[in-house]
Structure formats: C-alpha cells, structure tokens
Amino acid sequence: MQHRELPELGIHTLRITGISSLGEDNTFYTVSDDGTFKLTDNKTGMPLAEVQPSQGALKQLVPFQHRNCLGISDAKGNLHLYTKTNPPPESIVSIQVESQSEIKGLAISSAENHAVAGSQDGTINVFDLQAAGKERLIKPLVAFQGKKNVRCLQWRERPRREIIAGH
C-alpha cells in the first residue's frame, strides 16, 4: 500500500461531508455543507458535474455496491437517490423523513434492499428500496425513536437483523 499526499482541491465552498470513489475510472463523488453534489476528475481536480439536490446542506453520501445509485442525505430530512453512471448524475427519487429532521447518519443493508436514516431528533427511519431498478418506488417501513443526534448507523443481517446506532 502506498500513500502520497495530493494538493488540496477547492471544489466546494464549505466543508465536505461525504466522499465516494467509483473505483478505477479516476473520478470521485463529494457532498458538502454548501448543498452541492459533485463528480470530480481525480487527475485534474476539475469538477465534471454538479447537482444541487435540495436547498439544504448535504450530510451523508453512501454508495451502493450492486445498484446503479448513491444515497445522499440532507439537513432538511431528505434522502435522495442518484444514478452513479454517465455524468451528470440523475435524480432517481427523493423522500423526506416524517419528522423533517436533519439526517446525520445513513446506512444500507448488506442486501441493499433497505436504507436506514438516523436523524438529529433521534428518529431512525427504515426505507424499503424495492427491487434494483425500481428505487423510485421507495417507501418508508418503520420509524423508531432513539436518543438525539444519531450519527453512525450500521445494518447487520446476522445473527438477526439489527440496526446499530451511534450518537
């Protein structure tokens, strides 16, 4: 494993809150408190595409391994799904948590059929993502009330389905 420090890229005007590499194609996605979602060329540092999913700050970016999409959460309680091929990224669907509280934690089940959103007010929402290619039909399944400021979430399938939340 090698490490080399690259020059800082000034691709956002505010703090970057999520980053995801697409593998070997030398591009990466970022989301920021400035409300933008960008696809950037890793070699040149130049943005290839920019989208503003909502008027609020973007808080989480979670890639799907086996679906053609990325999950993005925002400060207004929205979960956005975007395509991850062929720039610019295209919106698949947006859904808001009932409490409209900022989503600070976002996780995907290992089978990628459920998304879990943890909110600032302590609400943990579970969404059914439907079959691959049918994500636009996403629907809320259940909401739990936990402690405030849910920041980290993990979905564990075994030994039984569990959601692990950190504050």
Side-chain angles (χ1 to χ4, degrees), residues 3-139:
H3 167 79
R4 74 182 168 134
E5 187 140 346
L6 300 173
E8 185 175 320
L9 301 175
I11 57 177
H12 288 279
T13 58
L14 295 174
R15 177 177 66 113
I16 291 174
T17 55
I19 189 166
S20 178
S21 172
L22 290 181
E24 303 300 321
D25 69 351
N26 289 313
T27 59
F28 60 94
Y29 285 106
T30 54
V31 295
S32 170
D33 277 340
D34 66 12
T36 58
F37 166 41
K38 294 185 180 185
L39 174 63
T40 302
D41 184 288
N42 202 20
K43 289 182 179 177
T44 65
M46 298 300 296
L48 301 173
E50 179 178 325
V51 178
Q52 191 165 4
S54 69
Q55 299 295 63
L58 302 179
K59 295 299 178 182
Q60 292 285 313
L61 172 64
V62 177
F64 289 76
Q65 300 302 317
H66 306 291
R67 289 182 185 238
N68 179 32
C69 59
L70 295 152
I72 300 169
S73 68
D74 70 26
K76 297 188 181 269
N78 295 299
L79 170 61
H80 308 278
L81 297 181
Y82 273 83
T83 61
K84 63 179 178 182
T85 58
N86 300 330
E90 295 178 15
S91 175
I92 299 170
V93 68
S94 293
I95 189 167
Q96 191 170 46
V97 296
E98 190 174 315
S99 69
Q100 299 180 3
S101 180
E102 177 180 324
I103 297 174
K104 290 183 164 254
L106 189 58
I108 307 300
S109 66
S110 56
E112 294 189 351
N113 54 353
H114 295 97
V116 183
S119 300
Q120 187 172 9
D121 69 353
T123 307
I124 299 171
N125 293 271
V126 180
F127 297 95
D128 183 349
L129 296 173
Q130 307 296 321
K134 304 282 186 189
E135 292 87 0
R136 70 184 185 290
L137 302 174
I138 188 173
K139 63 182 178 185

